[in-house]
Each structure stands twice: as C-alpha cells, then as structure tokens.
Amino acid sequence: MTAADSAETETGTATGTELSLAAGRVRGRLEGGVAVFRGIPYAQPPVGALRFAAPRPATGWAGVRDAREYGPPCPQAVVPNEIGRPVGDGEGDAAARVDEWLTVNVWSPALPGTDRAAGLPVMVWIHGGAYMSGTAGDAGYDGGRLARDGGVVVVTLNYRVGVEGFAWIEGAPANRGLLDQVAALEWVRDNITAFGGDPGRVTVFGESAGAGSIAALLVMERAAGLFSRAIAQSVPGTYFSPELAADLSTAIAAELGPDVRPTVAELAAFAPDRLVTAGEAVARTMPAREDRWGAVARTAVPYSPVVDGDVLPRAPWEALADGAARDVELIVGHNRDEYRLFSAMAGQLGQVTEEQARDLLRAFGPVADSAAAYRAAHPAADAERLHELVFSDWLFRMPSLHLARAHADGGGVVRCYELTWPAPAMGGALGACHALDVPLTFGNLTGRLATMLMGEEPPAEAEALSARFRAEWAAFAAGRTQWPPYDPKRPRVLVLDGAANAVTDYPEEASRLLWEAHRFAPLPLPAAG
C-alpha cells in the first residue's frame, strides 16, 4: 500500500474514497479531483451453474472491497492493449477475480462521502466491439475528464460478448449481453446515490455495438424506467432473426466437434476460450458464405442482438415508430465516412475496382438497381467512394438516421448530429471514420485509438471539438435544451466539423432519399427461404 493510499484509508469517507453500497463497503481512489471506483460487481460471475443464464444480483462481501482496479473482461477474440491494471500498486485481490466479468466503474466529481446529496446527472457508457469484443477497462473509456468537466457521474460496464453474451443457445435466454446491461442499470438505480448521482437522471450512451445495444434497450420492457435519456453514436443495423442466429450458432458448435450442438449442456462442457476460438473460425468463413447467411456474411461478425420476441420483442425501428420509449429523449448520429476505417484495416484504400463496387451495391443497396441509383445520386463518386458509401449507409448511417425518424414518428424527442471532421492521421485519408467520435466524447486524445486516428500529437482543433462533444453530451444529460429536435419533414442536424459547428440541413440527403422507403428489419436466414 502506498503512502497516498494509507492517507486515504485513514481519512476514510472524508476524501470520498470509501463508501457503503447495497452489497458492502468499497474503497476507491482520488484522481485529478475525481473519486474513482473500479471493478465493482453488479452481478454474480456467469460461470459454473450460472453460465449462459440471465444475470443474478451480486452477493455481498464483508469488510472493505478494493475497488481501485478494473475487473476482467469477458473472454473474447480481441482484447485492447490498454486494459487490466493501468492504475494501482499491484496489491489487493483483483487477480483472484478472474471470473468477475460483470463489473462497473464509476467516476464522480461529487467526492462521495462528503457530497452524497449532490444529485448529479449520471451517464452510463456501453462500449462497442461488434458484440464480440470490448471492455470498459480500455483506457480510452476513462471517464475522469468527462466527469470533471461535465459535472456528471460517469459509469462504464463490462457485459458478456461473443458466444457467452449473444449466441443463440438452446436452453438459455437470448441476448444475455443485453440482460447484463439491464442488470448494470439496475445496479446504478440502487447504488448511484452513494456516488453523488441522481438515479432519476440517467443517460445511457454508447458507440457502434454499444449504440446498437442502446437501440435495443429503448424497446425492452425490462429496461423501462432505468434511464430517461439516451445517446446512440453510429447505430449498426444488424439485428438477427432467431433463424439466422440459430444457424450461426450451429456453425460455431460444429467447430467444437461434428456432433456438438448449441445447447447449454453441450457448450458448457467447453471453456470460454474454446468458444471464442470457434467463433473466430466461423467469422473467418463468413465472407465466403453469403449464400447461407446473406449480406451480414460480409461483416464477418457472427453475433448481434436477436429479435426473439421476448427479451427483444421487436426491431427497434418498428417499436419506436409505434411509440415505444416516446418518453425517453434521444440523441442519435453517425460519422460521415464510417466505413473508411474498415477499408484501411483491410488494405482496400485505393484498391477498390468497379466490379467490387457493383458487387457491394448489389448486396447492400436499397433498391432494385442500386448501382445505377447510387451513381445517379453521387455522380462525382468513383468506384471506391461508391463502395464505401453503400457499406456506410447500410451498416451505420441509414440505421442511425432511420432510428431518429422512427423515434420522431412515435412521438419522441430526438436530436441528430453528423461528425464530418476528418481524422488527422494518414494525411486525412481516414476521413470522419468509424470510432473517431469515441476519443472526442471522453476527451482521451492520447490513448491507443486516439493515436491511431489523430497521431501522437492531436491538433488543437481536436481538443476544441472534444470540448464541444463533452459539453453537448453533459448538457443533454442535465436536461438542458440544445440544438433543435429532428423533424423528418425537414431533416436538420448538428454538423460537427471542428472549425464551424452548426445546425444545418442533413448533409447526406442523396443517401437519405435513396433509403427513404427502406425498412430495417431483423436479418433473415436466406437458406431457410
């Protein structure tokens, strides 16, 4: 234990580093004037008899639990470099908690223990990662700056991903990862007052798969009343039908053995890491199996929320248009060049041919002759730009815009944005790509992701744009009026481009018109037809 830790322990709650929760007492630390508590369990470890089950409330503990280190993520295919023990002195019992995947982390500027009645707005972050990876322990999600500058309590959480959280398993509830998120929000409701937060002013926010999770939470009965505002950044349009989910799970089980079926009894016989490997194997084969799995095969992602009729009763766009969650205020938006990041990672920049563009337009386009329609709508676009546009539209841009329209049609209040500021790395070649909004949201501009997108020295413009993001998001969480609500009859959005941020007509009008009649629905299993 360090001298600083000893001082904190001796002064106890006077420094806000120890407090009592429903399950027991915890000790955190002060960082930059913010009280930080990491790795607090919100549910029991989903292992043993609880594997593949709905989450159950965490059991209590005696004494003071060390809450200075992040909890471990769910076993997964890709683990970010910056997780584990970024703070702390190596002491404590976190190393023994390898199965505690379901934990939360809290940053509070209210100095819990001294300002417990502060009643600050609460912002709960749900990380992305294609429903197959990701962890709240990533340094990019450190909530200290957002909490301090925005005057909000920030919560991040781990949830089950991959097979453990989203595969269709006979005998298990569907969408276990979403049920984990609900359990975390219930923990926030029951405990956040101790950190100076107001359980009646909770905003969920997330990006990519996190935004897709939020779209689902909006229409889930189990989540009703647990949050009053939501921010969905780059919502993916991939929700699975039970038939598609079951077939993908059958393929994953077959990787474990020719006679293995996706049931609780049979999959529980394999360690989580074996299931991760099996899922990776199926992901690698997906692009060659469009005949079996349809357009989603091109994403090489075998997991998504399943519209099962129970946990997730309907597709978010359909349910929102019928008035579900009309009492929840919403911000939804996307980045202009969403797919550019994936093109760069695949080595496709400057390599896309006319044939490849036509093929993708056929697979993803919203109309009968999408190749001709896209060329007419974007006459100056070359093959590579058309390839990128239709993938961006199908996967993120139009699902996000349609979610806004559905919420407005259902009587809800929604505001839209588009990020157009280009990432400085690679001479600006990445454009306003997918995930660029994440470091801007948290203000962590020197982490792994931020460095990849902005370089070692982020420009002053990045700092200014990040400040705008944090100010807008925190103001929304506090219930203060921002830019005008979205009106489907005249779509206007907040365009965030760094130098001149302004509310203007939606910049992607050509794509909007192409997709106007399209309806996002659960993806079917083509082979079943």
Side-chain angles (χ1 to χ4, degrees):
M1 179 177 291
T2 67
D5 290 336
S6 298
E8 288 178 357
T9 302
E10 290 168 2
T11 53
T13 58
T15 63
T17 56
E18 285 192 12
L19 51 79
S20 294
L21 305 177
R25 198 160 179 81
V26 294
R27 182 178 76 249
R29 66 172 65 240
L30 293 177
E31 298 176 8
V34 175
V36 186
F37 299 80
R38 296 179 170 92
I40 304 173
Y42 64 83
Q44 296 178 42
V47 298
L50 298 184
R51 188 139 179 231
F52 308 125
R56 297 187 184 178
T59 55
W61 55 84
V64 180
R65 180 184 172 102
D66 189 335
R68 295 174 297 165
E69 299 174 1
Y70 290 115
C74 177
Q76 54 192 255
V78 180
V79 178
N81 293 329
E82 298 176 349
I83 65 170
R85 294 184 163 195
V87 299
D89 52 19
E91 296 184 2
D93 56 352
R97 302 169 182 165
V98 294
D99 294 329
E100 287 190 345
W101 308 335
L102 305 183
T103 59
V104 294
N105 317 295
V106 184
W107 289 260
S108 175
L111 299 184
T114 57
D115 298 322
R116 297 178 67 176
L120 295 177
V122 181
M123 299 187 69
V124 180
W125 174 257
I126 301 177
H127 68 72
Y131 308 107
M132 62 191 297
S133 65
T135 171
D138 190 303
Y141 302 145
D142 184 290
R145 194 172 186 190
L146 178 58
R148 182 175 56 252
D149 296 350
V152 297
V153 177
V154 176
V155 180
T156 66
L157 61 105
N158 281 340
Y159 59 95
R160 281 174 284 183
V161 296
V163 173
E164 304 290 336
F166 288 96
W168 184 271
I169 301 174
E170 183 180 335
N175 301 305
R176 297 169 299 283
L178 298 180
L179 294 176
D180 292 345
Q181 295 164 17
V182 171
L185 289 168
E186 291 173 338
W187 182 94
V188 168
R189 178 196 61 198
D190 298 338
N191 292 278
I192 206 64
T193 301
F195 299 89
D198 181 352
R201 291 200 293 168
V202 174
T203 298
V204 291
F205 68 131
E207 181 265 352
S208 197
S213 296
I214 287 170
L217 292 171
L218 283 167
V219 303
M220 288 170 55
E221 183 177 346
R222 291 168 173 83
L226 295 176
F227 56 92
S228 57
R229 294 180 178 85
I231 303 172
Q233 305 173 207
S234 300
V235 180
T238 51
Y239 291 74
F240 290 173
S241 65
E243 295 78 15
L244 176 60
D247 198 63
L248 283 161
S249 292
T250 297
I252 292 171
E255 292 290 332
L256 300 166
D259 299 320
V260 178
R261 298 179 303 125
T263 68
V264 167
E266 295 188 42
L267 294 187
F270 295 90
D273 288 346
R274 286 286 308 279
L275 301 189
V276 170
T277 301
E280 287 184 287
V282 169
R284 287 192 295 270
T285 68
M286 286 180 71
R289 298 308 310 273
E290 189 173 352
D291 59 331
R292 179 172 178 178
W293 293 313
V296 75
R298 296 183 183 238
T299 69
V301 176
Y303 315 104
S304 271
V306 183
V307 182
D308 66 314
D310 178 21
V311 175
L312 182 54
R314 303 164 71 189
W317 303 271
E318 178 186 2
L320 289 178
D322 283 345
R326 64 162 56 95
D327 58 336
V328 177
E329 290 193 39
L330 177 64
I331 287 176
V332 62
H334 61 75
N335 303 346
R336 182 187 59 201
D337 309 305
E338 291 277 5
Y339 192 67
R340 193 84 58 85
L341 176 66
F342 304 106
S343 294
M345 293 170 64
Q348 291 180 320
L349 291 182
Q351 305 298 317
V352 176
T353 66
E354 288 285 347
E355 182 180 357
Q356 289 173 318
R358 284 195 301 271
D359 179 53
L360 201 66
L361 286 162
R362 174 197 59 78
F364 288 156
V367 295
D369 189 354
S370 290
Y374 259 82
R375 290 185 185 281
H378 303 278
D382 60 11
E384 182 168 345
R385 181 59 177 158
L386 290 172
H387 184 274
E388 175 192 306
L389 278 169
V390 71
F391 217 139
S392 296
D393 284 343
W394 178 80
L395 189 54
F396 295 115
R397 300 200 319 176
M398 293 304 107
S400 299
L401 188 71
H402 281 222
L403 195 77
R405 187 179 76 181
H407 198 49
D409 288 345
V413 176
V414 56
R415 292 173 171 84
C416 287
Y417 74 91
E418 180 178 19
L419 174 63
T420 61
W421 181 74
M426 297 176 60
L430 292 175
C433 65
H434 190 67
L436 177 60
D437 51 313
V438 174
L440 296 173
T441 295
F442 282 91
N444 300 324
L445 304 184
T446 57
R448 178 181 55 86
L449 176 63
T451 299
M452 181 178 72
L453 299 177
M454 301 181 193
E456 295 291 340
E457 295 291 336
E461 195 172 52
E463 283 284 359
L465 185 55
S466 175
R468 177 66 183 268
F469 258 95
R470 285 179 278 120
E472 293 286 358
W473 275 205
F476 177 74
R480 295 194 293 271
T481 302
Q482 304 167 101
W483 67 95
Y486 180 81
D487 181 356
K489 295 179 181 178
R490 189 192 176 188
R492 292 175 65 79
V493 305
L494 174 64
V495 174
L496 295 161
D497 69 353
N501 308 303
V503 176
T504 185
D505 291 339
Y506 182 53
E508 316 307 331
E509 183 69 1
S511 287
R512 186 187 74 84
L513 292 174
L514 279 173
W515 288 81
E516 190 170 27
H518 181 80
R519 294 294 177 264
F520 286 94
L523 298 173
L525 176 66

